[in-house]
Amino acid sequence: EPEVTQTPSHQVTQMGQEVILRCVPISNHLYFYWYRQILGQKVEFLVSFYNNEISEKSEIFDDQFSVERPDGSNFTLKIRSTKLEDSAMYFCASSAWSEVTGELFFGEGSRLTVL
Amino acid sequence: GEDVEQSLFLSVREGDSSVINCTYTDSSSTYLYWYKQEPGAGLQLLTYIFSNMDMKQDQRLTVLLNKKDKHLSLRIADTQTGDSAIYFCAESRTASKLTFGTGTRLQVTL
């Protein structure tokens, strides 16, 4: 069964360092997303991406964050200068035709710990 | 803004039915979802329902939607120990930006 895969599963970094989280969406999907879940809190929307550009972003997704689809398969989230409060589980998701099928598939997450 | 609320914890005996409830505030919700999260794992899509439906059944899972009251429920028949997990309700207008609830931890006891 096709799945969304994410790397690394866990990353520990020092405050102020840059972090890149990687995702390989399901191959025929066209819409890509990042969500995050701070420990004990709700899963929150960060950004959606379609046709090589951001289609929507939340107020969490400030200038420290960026997304990229560098090739035909990877979708990355970059945090330019990490803060303690960026510690969270980051989930990548993808969907085929979002407004038709409604199905959004998530990866297993990348846990980011900022020290 | 949109909000989704769930009770935090539910305990059921193996073999019984589980009913997990959710309320939401956005009257323009088009899609309503149930996701399952096992310890250390990601979010597994269990099922979803369009807002123009009242019910959806998929094997042991039954989703009921009361659009007037903005209430969504997930019934798991014949609950098994493998069903122990956190269950997230979520809603969306566009199937891209989902608003999640806090999650309900389901504990299945023998």
Side-chain angles (χ1 to χ4, degrees), chain A residues 33 35 37 42 56 98-99 101-104 106, chain B residues 3-4 31 33 35 37 48 95-98 100 102:
Chain A
Y33 315 87
Y35 284 74
Q37 184 182 29
K42 292 184 180 185
E56 189 171 4
S98 66
E99 295 198 29
T101 68
E103 291 179 327
L104 198 69
F106 285 81
Chain B
D3 195 20
V4 178
Y31 306 91
Y33 302 83
Y35 282 87
Q37 186 181 39
Y48 70 98
S96 58
K97 182 183 174 184
L98 272 60
F100 282 84
T102 49

mmCIF file with all atom_site columns, all heavy atoms in Angstrom, chain A residues 33 35 37 42 56 98-99 101-104 106, chain B residues 3-4 31 33 35 37 48 95-98 100 102:
data_model
loop_
_atom_site.group_PDB
_atom_site.id
_atom_site.type_symbol
_atom_site.label_atom_id
_atom_site.label_alt_id
_atom_site.label_comp_id
_atom_site.label_asym_id
_atom_site.label_entity_id
_atom_site.label_seq_id
_atom_site.pdbx_PDB_ins_code
_atom_site.Cartn_x
_atom_site.Cartn_y
_atom_site.Cartn_z
_atom_site.occupancy
_atom_site.B_iso_or_equiv
_atom_site.pdbx_formal_charge
_atom_site.auth_seq_id
_atom_site.auth_comp_id
_atom_site.auth_asym_id
_atom_site.auth_atom_id
_atom_site.pdbx_PDB_model_num
ATOM 1   N N   . TYR A 1 33  ? 1.466   18.799 2.306  1.00 0.00 ? 33  TYR A N   1
ATOM 2   C CA  . TYR A 1 33  ? 1.185   19.571 3.512  1.00 0.00 ? 33  TYR A CA  1
ATOM 3   C C   . TYR A 1 33  ? 2.213   19.273 4.594  1.00 0.00 ? 33  TYR A C   1
ATOM 4   O O   . TYR A 1 33  ? 2.791   18.189 4.634  1.00 0.00 ? 33  TYR A O   1
ATOM 5   C CB  . TYR A 1 33  ? -0.196  19.188 4.099  1.00 0.00 ? 33  TYR A CB  1
ATOM 6   C CG  . TYR A 1 33  ? -1.294  19.076 3.082  1.00 0.00 ? 33  TYR A CG  1
ATOM 7   C CD1 . TYR A 1 33  ? -1.527  17.883 2.406  1.00 0.00 ? 33  TYR A CD1 1
ATOM 8   C CD2 . TYR A 1 33  ? -2.102  20.172 2.767  1.00 0.00 ? 33  TYR A CD2 1
ATOM 9   C CE1 . TYR A 1 33  ? -2.519  17.772 1.459  1.00 0.00 ? 33  TYR A CE1 1
ATOM 10  C CE2 . TYR A 1 33  ? -3.101  20.061 1.817  1.00 0.00 ? 33  TYR A CE2 1
ATOM 11  C CZ  . TYR A 1 33  ? -3.307  18.863 1.177  1.00 0.00 ? 33  TYR A CZ  1
ATOM 12  O OH  . TYR A 1 33  ? -4.296  18.760 0.233  1.00 0.00 ? 33  TYR A OH  1
ATOM 13  N N   . TYR A 1 35  ? 2.123   19.557 8.881  1.00 0.00 ? 35  TYR A N   1
ATOM 14  C CA  . TYR A 1 35  ? 1.414   19.801 10.139 1.00 0.00 ? 35  TYR A CA  1
ATOM 15  C C   . TYR A 1 35  ? 2.412   19.565 11.267 1.00 0.00 ? 35  TYR A C   1
ATOM 16  O O   . TYR A 1 35  ? 3.433   18.901 11.073 1.00 0.00 ? 35  TYR A O   1
ATOM 17  C CB  . TYR A 1 35  ? 0.246   18.826 10.314 1.00 0.00 ? 35  TYR A CB  1
ATOM 18  C CG  . TYR A 1 35  ? -0.975  19.120 9.491  1.00 0.00 ? 35  TYR A CG  1
ATOM 19  C CD1 . TYR A 1 35  ? -1.007  18.875 8.115  1.00 0.00 ? 35  TYR A CD1 1
ATOM 20  C CD2 . TYR A 1 35  ? -2.117  19.635 10.091 1.00 0.00 ? 35  TYR A CD2 1
ATOM 21  C CE1 . TYR A 1 35  ? -2.134  19.153 7.372  1.00 0.00 ? 35  TYR A CE1 1
ATOM 22  C CE2 . TYR A 1 35  ? -3.261  19.909 9.350  1.00 0.00 ? 35  TYR A CE2 1
ATOM 23  C CZ  . TYR A 1 35  ? -3.253  19.659 7.998  1.00 0.00 ? 35  TYR A CZ  1
ATOM 24  O OH  . TYR A 1 35  ? -4.381  19.932 7.266  1.00 0.00 ? 35  TYR A OH  1
ATOM 25  N N   . GLN A 1 37  ? 2.685   18.777 15.747 1.00 0.00 ? 37  GLN A N   1
ATOM 26  C CA  . GLN A 1 37  ? 2.004   18.475 17.001 1.00 0.00 ? 37  GLN A CA  1
ATOM 27  C C   . GLN A 1 37  ? 3.001   18.670 18.136 1.00 0.00 ? 37  GLN A C   1
ATOM 28  O O   . GLN A 1 37  ? 3.912   17.850 18.316 1.00 0.00 ? 37  GLN A O   1
ATOM 29  C CB  . GLN A 1 37  ? 1.470   17.041 16.991 1.00 0.00 ? 37  GLN A CB  1
ATOM 30  C CG  . GLN A 1 37  ? 0.658   16.671 18.221 1.00 0.00 ? 37  GLN A CG  1
ATOM 31  C CD  . GLN A 1 37  ? 0.194   15.216 18.173 1.00 0.00 ? 37  GLN A CD  1
ATOM 32  O OE1 . GLN A 1 37  ? 0.837   14.347 17.585 1.00 0.00 ? 37  GLN A OE1 1
ATOM 33  N NE2 . GLN A 1 37  ? -0.950  14.947 18.800 1.00 0.00 ? 37  GLN A NE2 1
ATOM 34  N N   . LYS A 1 42  ? -2.775  19.939 20.231 1.00 0.00 ? 42  LYS A N   1
ATOM 35  C CA  . LYS A 1 42  ? -3.463  19.501 19.026 1.00 0.00 ? 42  LYS A CA  1
ATOM 36  C C   . LYS A 1 42  ? -2.514  19.458 17.831 1.00 0.00 ? 42  LYS A C   1
ATOM 37  O O   . LYS A 1 42  ? -1.501  20.168 17.785 1.00 0.00 ? 42  LYS A O   1
ATOM 38  C CB  . LYS A 1 42  ? -4.608  20.469 18.698 1.00 0.00 ? 42  LYS A CB  1
ATOM 39  C CG  . LYS A 1 42  ? -5.745  20.449 19.696 1.00 0.00 ? 42  LYS A CG  1
ATOM 40  C CD  . LYS A 1 42  ? -6.871  21.370 19.222 1.00 0.00 ? 42  LYS A CD  1
ATOM 41  C CE  . LYS A 1 42  ? -8.015  21.358 20.214 1.00 0.00 ? 42  LYS A CE  1
ATOM 42  N NZ  . LYS A 1 42  ? -9.177  22.148 19.743 1.00 0.00 ? 42  LYS A NZ  1
ATOM 43  N N   . GLU A 1 56  ? -1.644  27.759 0.881  1.00 0.00 ? 56  GLU A N   1
ATOM 44  C CA  . GLU A 1 56  ? -2.154  28.332 2.126  1.00 0.00 ? 56  GLU A CA  1
ATOM 45  C C   . GLU A 1 56  ? -1.138  28.103 3.236  1.00 0.00 ? 56  GLU A C   1
ATOM 46  O O   . GLU A 1 56  ? -0.439  27.097 3.227  1.00 0.00 ? 56  GLU A O   1
ATOM 47  C CB  . GLU A 1 56  ? -3.496  27.679 2.504  1.00 0.00 ? 56  GLU A CB  1
ATOM 48  C CG  . GLU A 1 56  ? -4.215  28.345 3.642  1.00 0.00 ? 56  GLU A CG  1
ATOM 49  C CD  . GLU A 1 56  ? -5.624  27.817 3.855  1.00 0.00 ? 56  GLU A CD  1
ATOM 50  O OE1 . GLU A 1 56  ? -6.045  26.867 3.161  1.00 0.00 ? 56  GLU A OE1 1
ATOM 51  O OE2 . GLU A 1 56  ? -6.317  28.378 4.733  1.00 0.00 ? 56  GLU A OE2 1
ATOM 52  N N   . SER A 1 98  ? -7.629  16.985 -3.770 1.00 0.00 ? 98  SER A N   1
ATOM 53  C CA  . SER A 1 98  ? -8.070  17.222 -2.392 1.00 0.00 ? 98  SER A CA  1
ATOM 54  C C   . SER A 1 98  ? -9.551  17.542 -2.302 1.00 0.00 ? 98  SER A C   1
ATOM 55  O O   . SER A 1 98  ? -10.230 17.060 -1.421 1.00 0.00 ? 98  SER A O   1
ATOM 56  C CB  . SER A 1 98  ? -7.265  18.330 -1.750 1.00 0.00 ? 98  SER A CB  1
ATOM 57  O OG  . SER A 1 98  ? -7.501  19.557 -2.379 1.00 0.00 ? 98  SER A OG  1
ATOM 58  N N   . GLU A 1 99  ? -10.056 18.321 -3.211 1.00 0.00 ? 99  GLU A N   1
ATOM 59  C CA  . GLU A 1 99  ? -11.440 18.739 -3.028 1.00 0.00 ? 99  GLU A CA  1
ATOM 60  C C   . GLU A 1 99  ? -12.425 17.732 -3.600 1.00 0.00 ? 99  GLU A C   1
ATOM 61  O O   . GLU A 1 99  ? -13.621 17.894 -3.458 1.00 0.00 ? 99  GLU A O   1
ATOM 62  C CB  . GLU A 1 99  ? -11.651 20.124 -3.645 1.00 0.00 ? 99  GLU A CB  1
ATOM 63  C CG  . GLU A 1 99  ? -10.849 21.169 -2.912 1.00 0.00 ? 99  GLU A CG  1
ATOM 64  C CD  . GLU A 1 99  ? -11.320 22.586 -3.172 1.00 0.00 ? 99  GLU A CD  1
ATOM 65  O OE1 . GLU A 1 99  ? -12.505 22.779 -3.429 1.00 0.00 ? 99  GLU A OE1 1
ATOM 66  O OE2 . GLU A 1 99  ? -10.475 23.489 -3.127 1.00 0.00 ? 99  GLU A OE2 1
ATOM 67  N N   . THR A 1 101 ? -11.748 13.974 -3.428 1.00 0.00 ? 101 THR A N   1
ATOM 68  C CA  . THR A 1 101 ? -11.790 12.757 -2.623 1.00 0.00 ? 101 THR A CA  1
ATOM 69  C C   . THR A 1 101 ? -11.765 13.028 -1.124 1.00 0.00 ? 101 THR A C   1
ATOM 70  O O   . THR A 1 101 ? -12.257 12.237 -0.351 1.00 0.00 ? 101 THR A O   1
ATOM 71  C CB  . THR A 1 101 ? -10.585 11.852 -2.933 1.00 0.00 ? 101 THR A CB  1
ATOM 72  O OG1 . THR A 1 101 ? -9.394  12.491 -2.458 1.00 0.00 ? 101 THR A OG1 1
ATOM 73  C CG2 . THR A 1 101 ? -10.465 11.601 -4.424 1.00 0.00 ? 101 THR A CG2 1
ATOM 74  N N   . GLY A 1 102 ? -11.175 14.105 -0.726 1.00 0.00 ? 102 GLY A N   1
ATOM 75  C CA  . GLY A 1 102 ? -11.108 14.414 0.701  1.00 0.00 ? 102 GLY A CA  1
ATOM 76  C C   . GLY A 1 102 ? -10.100 13.615 1.477  1.00 0.00 ? 102 GLY A C   1
ATOM 77  O O   . GLY A 1 102 ? -9.964  13.784 2.675  1.00 0.00 ? 102 GLY A O   1
ATOM 78  N N   . GLU A 1 103 ? -9.367  12.713 0.836  1.00 0.00 ? 103 GLU A N   1
ATOM 79  C CA  . GLU A 1 103 ? -8.460  11.843 1.582  1.00 0.00 ? 103 GLU A CA  1
ATOM 80  C C   . GLU A 1 103 ? -7.089  12.486 1.722  1.00 0.00 ? 103 GLU A C   1
ATOM 81  O O   . GLU A 1 103 ? -6.447  12.823 0.740  1.00 0.00 ? 103 GLU A O   1
ATOM 82  C CB  . GLU A 1 103 ? -8.309  10.507 0.869  1.00 0.00 ? 103 GLU A CB  1
ATOM 83  C CG  . GLU A 1 103 ? -9.576  9.662  0.918  1.00 0.00 ? 103 GLU A CG  1
ATOM 84  C CD  . GLU A 1 103 ? -9.421  8.353  0.176  1.00 0.00 ? 103 GLU A CD  1
ATOM 85  O OE1 . GLU A 1 103 ? -8.698  8.324  -0.828 1.00 0.00 ? 103 GLU A OE1 1
ATOM 86  O OE2 . GLU A 1 103 ? -10.027 7.363  0.614  1.00 0.00 ? 103 GLU A OE2 1
ATOM 87  N N   . LEU A 1 104 ? -6.660  12.627 2.957  1.00 0.00 ? 104 LEU A N   1
ATOM 88  C CA  . LEU A 1 104 ? -5.371  13.215 3.280  1.00 0.00 ? 104 LEU A CA  1
ATOM 89  C C   . LEU A 1 104 ? -4.583  12.163 4.040  1.00 0.00 ? 104 LEU A C   1
ATOM 90  O O   . LEU A 1 104 ? -5.006  11.708 5.101  1.00 0.00 ? 104 LEU A O   1
ATOM 91  C CB  . LEU A 1 104 ? -5.598  14.447 4.157  1.00 0.00 ? 104 LEU A CB  1
ATOM 92  C CG  . LEU A 1 104 ? -4.480  15.464 4.279  1.00 0.00 ? 104 LEU A CG  1
ATOM 93  C CD1 . LEU A 1 104 ? -4.297  16.178 2.959  1.00 0.00 ? 104 LEU A CD1 1
ATOM 94  C CD2 . LEU A 1 104 ? -4.815  16.479 5.349  1.00 0.00 ? 104 LEU A CD2 1
ATOM 95  N N   . PHE A 1 106 ? -1.164  10.866 5.992  1.00 0.00 ? 106 PHE A N   1
ATOM 96  C CA  . PHE A 1 106 ? -0.048  11.382 6.772  1.00 0.00 ? 106 PHE A CA  1
ATOM 97  C C   . PHE A 1 106 ? 1.094   10.392 6.850  1.00 0.00 ? 106 PHE A C   1
ATOM 98  O O   . PHE A 1 106 ? 0.886   9.173  6.847  1.00 0.00 ? 106 PHE A O   1
ATOM 99  C CB  . PHE A 1 106 ? -0.505  11.706 8.196  1.00 0.00 ? 106 PHE A CB  1
ATOM 100 C CG  . PHE A 1 106 ? -1.326  12.955 8.304  1.00 0.00 ? 106 PHE A CG  1
ATOM 101 C CD1 . PHE A 1 106 ? -2.681  12.950 7.995  1.00 0.00 ? 106 PHE A CD1 1
ATOM 102 C CD2 . PHE A 1 106 ? -0.743  14.148 8.717  1.00 0.00 ? 106 PHE A CD2 1
ATOM 103 C CE1 . PHE A 1 106 ? -3.436  14.106 8.088  1.00 0.00 ? 106 PHE A CE1 1
ATOM 104 C CE2 . PHE A 1 106 ? -1.496  15.309 8.826  1.00 0.00 ? 106 PHE A CE2 1
ATOM 105 C CZ  . PHE A 1 106 ? -2.837  15.285 8.513  1.00 0.00 ? 106 PHE A CZ  1
ATOM 106 N N   . ASP B 2 3   ? -13.063 25.376 15.778 1.00 0.00 ? 3   ASP B N   1
ATOM 107 C CA  . ASP B 2 3   ? -12.630 24.613 16.938 1.00 0.00 ? 3   ASP B CA  1
ATOM 108 C C   . ASP B 2 3   ? -13.259 23.229 16.879 1.00 0.00 ? 3   ASP B C   1
ATOM 109 O O   . ASP B 2 3   ? -14.383 23.073 16.386 1.00 0.00 ? 3   ASP B O   1
ATOM 110 C CB  . ASP B 2 3   ? -13.027 25.330 18.224 1.00 0.00 ? 3   ASP B CB  1
ATOM 111 C CG  . ASP B 2 3   ? -12.298 24.786 19.430 1.00 0.00 ? 3   ASP B CG  1
ATOM 112 O OD1 . ASP B 2 3   ? -11.241 24.148 19.250 1.00 0.00 ? 3   ASP B OD1 1
ATOM 113 O OD2 . ASP B 2 3   ? -12.783 24.981 20.564 1.00 0.00 ? 3   ASP B OD2 1
ATOM 114 N N   . VAL B 2 4   ? -12.523 22.249 17.365 1.00 0.00 ? 4   VAL B N   1
ATOM 115 C CA  . VAL B 2 4   ? -13.002 20.874 17.428 1.00 0.00 ? 4   VAL B CA  1
ATOM 116 C C   . VAL B 2 4   ? -12.716 20.356 18.831 1.00 0.00 ? 4   VAL B C   1
ATOM 117 O O   . VAL B 2 4   ? -11.587 20.488 19.309 1.00 0.00 ? 4   VAL B O   1
ATOM 118 C CB  . VAL B 2 4   ? -12.298 19.986 16.382 1.00 0.00 ? 4   VAL B CB  1
ATOM 119 C CG1 . VAL B 2 4   ? -12.769 18.548 16.491 1.00 0.00 ? 4   VAL B CG1 1
ATOM 120 C CG2 . VAL B 2 4   ? -12.530 20.516 14.976 1.00 0.00 ? 4   VAL B CG2 1
ATOM 121 N N   . TYR B 2 31  ? -15.796 18.317 5.076  1.00 0.00 ? 31  TYR B N   1
ATOM 122 C CA  . TYR B 2 31  ? -15.278 16.979 5.341  1.00 0.00 ? 31  TYR B CA  1
ATOM 123 C C   . TYR B 2 31  ? -15.047 16.825 6.833  1.00 0.00 ? 31  TYR B C   1
ATOM 124 O O   . TYR B 2 31  ? -14.525 17.729 7.485  1.00 0.00 ? 31  TYR B O   1
ATOM 125 C CB  . TYR B 2 31  ? -13.937 16.768 4.637  1.00 0.00 ? 31  TYR B CB  1
ATOM 126 C CG  . TYR B 2 31  ? -13.950 17.045 3.157  1.00 0.00 ? 31  TYR B CG  1
ATOM 127 C CD1 . TYR B 2 31  ? -13.635 18.308 2.681  1.00 0.00 ? 31  TYR B CD1 1
ATOM 128 C CD2 . TYR B 2 31  ? -14.264 16.047 2.244  1.00 0.00 ? 31  TYR B CD2 1
ATOM 129 C CE1 . TYR B 2 31  ? -13.642 18.572 1.323  1.00 0.00 ? 31  TYR B CE1 1
ATOM 130 C CE2 . TYR B 2 31  ? -14.273 16.302 0.892  1.00 0.00 ? 31  TYR B CE2 1
ATOM 131 C CZ  . TYR B 2 31  ? -13.966 17.563 0.441  1.00 0.00 ? 31  TYR B CZ  1
ATOM 132 O OH  . TYR B 2 31  ? -13.972 17.819 -0.902 1.00 0.00 ? 31  TYR B OH  1
ATOM 133 N N   . TYR B 2 33  ? -13.365 13.960 9.574  1.00 0.00 ? 33  TYR B N   1
ATOM 134 C CA  . TYR B 2 33  ? -12.448 12.833 9.546  1.00 0.00 ? 33  TYR B CA  1
ATOM 135 C C   . TYR B 2 33  ? -12.302 12.183 10.921 1.00 0.00 ? 33  TYR B C   1
ATOM 136 O O   . TYR B 2 33  ? -12.442 12.833 11.957 1.00 0.00 ? 33  TYR B O   1
ATOM 137 C CB  . TYR B 2 33  ? -11.037 13.311 9.161  1.00 0.00 ? 33  TYR B CB  1
ATOM 138 C CG  . TYR B 2 33  ? -10.918 14.014 7.840  1.00 0.00 ? 33  TYR B CG  1
ATOM 139 C CD1 . TYR B 2 33  ? -11.217 15.366 7.730  1.00 0.00 ? 33  TYR B CD1 1
ATOM 140 C CD2 . TYR B 2 33  ? -10.476 13.339 6.711  1.00 0.00 ? 33  TYR B CD2 1
ATOM 141 C CE1 . TYR B 2 33  ? -11.089 16.016 6.518  1.00 0.00 ? 33  TYR B CE1 1
ATOM 142 C CE2 . TYR B 2 33  ? -10.338 13.988 5.499  1.00 0.00 ? 33  TYR B CE2 1
ATOM 143 C CZ  . TYR B 2 33  ? -10.644 15.329 5.411  1.00 0.00 ? 33  TYR B CZ  1
ATOM 144 O OH  . TYR B 2 33  ? -10.512 15.975 4.218  1.00 0.00 ? 33  TYR B OH  1
ATOM 145 N N   . TYR B 2 35  ? -9.061  10.021 12.520 1.00 0.00 ? 35  TYR B N   1
ATOM 146 C CA  . TYR B 2 35  ? -7.715  9.492  12.405 1.00 0.00 ? 35  TYR B CA  1
ATOM 147 C C   . TYR B 2 35  ? -7.372  8.715  13.674 1.00 0.00 ? 35  TYR B C   1
ATOM 148 O O   . TYR B 2 35  ? -7.839  9.049  14.761 1.00 0.00 ? 35  TYR B O   1
ATOM 149 C CB  . TYR B 2 35  ? -6.681  10.613 12.230 1.00 0.00 ? 35  TYR B CB  1
ATOM 150 C CG  . TYR B 2 35  ? -6.618  11.192 10.844 1.00 0.00 ? 35  TYR B CG  1
ATOM 151 C CD1 . TYR B 2 35  ? -7.460  12.226 10.461 1.00 0.00 ? 35  TYR B CD1 1
ATOM 152 C CD2 . TYR B 2 35  ? -5.702  10.708 9.913  1.00 0.00 ? 35  TYR B CD2 1
ATOM 153 C CE1 . TYR B 2 35  ? -7.399  12.762 9.187  1.00 0.00 ? 35  TYR B CE1 1
ATOM 154 C CE2 . TYR B 2 35  ? -5.632  11.239 8.631  1.00 0.00 ? 35  TYR B CE2 1
ATOM 155 C CZ  . TYR B 2 35  ? -6.485  12.261 8.287  1.00 0.00 ? 35  TYR B CZ  1
ATOM 156 O OH  . TYR B 2 35  ? -6.417  12.791 7.016  1.00 0.00 ? 35  TYR B OH  1
ATOM 157 N N   . GLN B 2 37  ? -4.088  7.275  16.003 1.00 0.00 ? 37  GLN B N   1
ATOM 158 C CA  . GLN B 2 37  ? -2.650  7.401  16.251 1.00 0.00 ? 37  GLN B CA  1
ATOM 159 C C   . GLN B 2 37  ? -2.242  6.399  17.324 1.00 0.00 ? 37  GLN B C   1
ATOM 160 O O   . GLN B 2 37  ? -2.642  6.531  18.482 1.00 0.00 ? 37  GLN B O   1
ATOM 161 C CB  . GLN B 2 37  ? -2.288  8.823  16.685 1.00 0.00 ? 37  GLN B CB  1
ATOM 162 C CG  . GLN B 2 37  ? -0.789  9.056  16.819 1.00 0.00 ? 37  GLN B CG  1
ATOM 163 C CD  . GLN B 2 37  ? -0.465  10.480 17.265 1.00 0.00 ? 37  GLN B CD  1
ATOM 164 O OE1 . GLN B 2 37  ? -1.153  11.051 18.106 1.00 0.00 ? 37  GLN B OE1 1
ATOM 165 N NE2 . GLN B 2 37  ? 0.582   11.050 16.702 1.00 0.00 ? 37  GLN B NE2 1
ATOM 166 N N   . TYR B 2 48  ? -13.669 9.005  6.607  1.00 0.00 ? 48  TYR B N   1
ATOM 167 C CA  . TYR B 2 48  ? -14.141 10.386 6.600  1.00 0.00 ? 48  TYR B CA  1
ATOM 168 C C   . TYR B 2 48  ? -15.538 10.401 6.003  1.00 0.00 ? 48  TYR B C   1
ATOM 169 O O   . TYR B 2 48  ? -15.975 9.454  5.349  1.00 0.00 ? 48  TYR B O   1
ATOM 170 C CB  . TYR B 2 48  ? -13.187 11.303 5.842  1.00 0.00 ? 48  TYR B CB  1
ATOM 171 C CG  . TYR B 2 48  ? -13.157 11.084 4.348  1.00 0.00 ? 48  TYR B CG  1
ATOM 172 C CD1 . TYR B 2 48  ? -13.903 11.893 3.485  1.00 0.00 ? 48  TYR B CD1 1
ATOM 173 C CD2 . TYR B 2 48  ? -12.377 10.086 3.791  1.00 0.00 ? 48  TYR B CD2 1
ATOM 174 C CE1 . TYR B 2 48  ? -13.862 11.689 2.118  1.00 0.00 ? 48  TYR B CE1 1
ATOM 175 C CE2 . TYR B 2 48  ? -12.340 9.882  2.432  1.00 0.00 ? 48  TYR B CE2 1
ATOM 176 C CZ  . TYR B 2 48  ? -13.084 10.687 1.589  1.00 0.00 ? 48  TYR B CZ  1
ATOM 177 O OH  . TYR B 2 48  ? -13.045 10.482 0.235  1.00 0.00 ? 48  TYR B OH  1
ATOM 178 N N   . ALA B 2 95  ? -10.589 20.053 2.460  1.00 0.00 ? 95  ALA B N   1
ATOM 179 C CA  . ALA B 2 95  ? -9.787  18.819 2.467  1.00 0.00 ? 95  ALA B CA  1
ATOM 180 C C   . ALA B 2 95  ? -8.304  19.119 2.353  1.00 0.00 ? 95  ALA B C   1
ATOM 181 O O   . ALA B 2 95  ? -7.542  18.274 1.894  1.00 0.00 ? 95  ALA B O   1
ATOM 182 C CB  . ALA B 2 95  ? -10.224 17.872 1.362  1.00 0.00 ? 95  ALA B CB  1
ATOM 183 N N   . SER B 2 96  ? -7.869  20.309 2.727  1.00 0.00 ? 96  SER B N   1
ATOM 184 C CA  . SER B 2 96  ? -6.438  20.571 2.782  1.00 0.00 ? 96  SER B CA  1
ATOM 185 C C   . SER B 2 96  ? -6.044  21.050 4.176  1.00 0.00 ? 96  SER B C   1
ATOM 186 O O   . SER B 2 96  ? -5.208  20.457 4.832  1.00 0.00 ? 96  SER B O   1
ATOM 187 C CB  . SER B 2 96  ? -6.026  21.589 1.727  1.00 0.00 ? 96  SER B CB  1
ATOM 188 O OG  . SER B 2 96  ? -6.737  22.801 1.910  1.00 0.00 ? 96  SER B OG  1
ATOM 189 N N   . LYS B 2 97  ? -6.678  22.098 4.633  1.00 0.00 ? 97  LYS B N   1
ATOM 190 C CA  . LYS B 2 97  ? -6.381  22.613 5.965  1.00 0.00 ? 97  LYS B CA  1
ATOM 191 C C   . LYS B 2 97  ? -7.342  21.974 6.962  1.00 0.00 ? 97  LYS B C   1
ATOM 192 O O   . LYS B 2 97  ? -8.499  22.389 7.057  1.00 0.00 ? 97  LYS B O   1
ATOM 193 C CB  . LYS B 2 97  ? -6.527  24.137 5.978  1.00 0.00 ? 97  LYS B CB  1
ATOM 194 C CG  . LYS B 2 97  ? -6.192  24.754 7.320  1.00 0.00 ? 97  LYS B CG  1
ATOM 195 C CD  . LYS B 2 97  ? -6.418  26.242 7.276  1.00 0.00 ? 97  LYS B CD  1
ATOM 196 C CE  . LYS B 2 97  ? -6.235  26.849 8.653  1.00 0.00 ? 97  LYS B CE  1
ATOM 197 N NZ  . LYS B 2 97  ? -6.552  28.289 8.665  1.00 0.00 ? 97  LYS B NZ  1
ATOM 198 N N   . LEU B 2 98  ? -6.844  20.964 7.680  1.00 0.00 ? 98  LEU B N   1
ATOM 199 C CA  . LEU B 2 98  ? -7.674  20.283 8.654  1.00 0.00 ? 98  LEU B CA  1
ATOM 200 C C   . LEU B 2 98  ? -7.512  20.923 10.026 1.00 0.00 ? 98  LEU B C   1
ATOM 201 O O   . LEU B 2 98  ? -6.400  21.292 10.414 1.00 0.00 ? 98  LEU B O   1
ATOM 202 C CB  . LEU B 2 98  ? -7.268  18.810 8.762  1.00 0.00 ? 98  LEU B CB  1
ATOM 203 C CG  . LEU B 2 98  ? -7.927  17.819 7.797  1.00 0.00 ? 98  LEU B CG  1
ATOM 204 C CD1 . LEU B 2 98  ? -7.632  18.175 6.356  1.00 0.00 ? 98  LEU B CD1 1
ATOM 205 C CD2 . LEU B 2 98  ? -7.490  16.409 8.108  1.00 0.00 ? 98  LEU B CD2 1
ATOM 206 N N   . PHE B 2 100 ? -7.905  19.890 13.858 1.00 0.00 ? 100 PHE B N   1
ATOM 207 C CA  . PHE B 2 100 ? -7.987  18.664 14.651 1.00 0.00 ? 100 PHE B CA  1
ATOM 208 C C   . PHE B 2 100 ? -8.513  18.940 16.056 1.00 0.00 ? 100 PHE B C   1
ATOM 209 O O   . PHE B 2 100 ? -8.298  20.020 16.622 1.00 0.00 ? 100 PHE B O   1
ATOM 210 C CB  . PHE B 2 100 ? -6.594  18.032 14.795 1.00 0.00 ? 100 PHE B CB  1
ATOM 211 C CG  . PHE B 2 100 ? -6.134  17.286 13.583 1.00 0.00 ? 100 PHE B CG  1
ATOM 212 C CD1 . PHE B 2 100 ? -5.528  17.956 12.531 1.00 0.00 ? 100 PHE B CD1 1
ATOM 213 C CD2 . PHE B 2 100 ? -6.294  15.916 13.491 1.00 0.00 ? 100 PHE B CD2 1
ATOM 214 C CE1 . PHE B 2 100 ? -5.096  17.275 11.404 1.00 0.00 ? 100 PHE B CE1 1
ATOM 215 C CE2 . PHE B 2 100 ? -5.858  15.222 12.372 1.00 0.00 ? 100 PHE B CE2 1
ATOM 216 C CZ  . PHE B 2 100 ? -5.259  15.903 11.330 1.00 0.00 ? 100 PHE B CZ  1
ATOM 217 N N   . THR B 2 102 ? -8.462  17.499 20.161 1.00 0.00 ? 102 THR B N   1
ATOM 218 C CA  . THR B 2 102 ? -7.376  17.160 21.079 1.00 0.00 ? 102 THR B CA  1
ATOM 219 C C   . THR B 2 102 ? -7.060  15.672 21.081 1.00 0.00 ? 102 THR B C   1
ATOM 220 O O   . THR B 2 102 ? -6.024  15.265 21.569 1.00 0.00 ? 102 THR B O   1
ATOM 221 C CB  . THR B 2 102 ? -7.738  17.563 22.513 1.00 0.00 ? 102 THR B CB  1
ATOM 222 O OG1 . THR B 2 102 ? -9.054  17.066 22.791 1.00 0.00 ? 102 THR B OG1 1
ATOM 223 C CG2 . THR B 2 102 ? -7.718  19.063 22.683 1.00 0.00 ? 102 THR B CG2 1
#
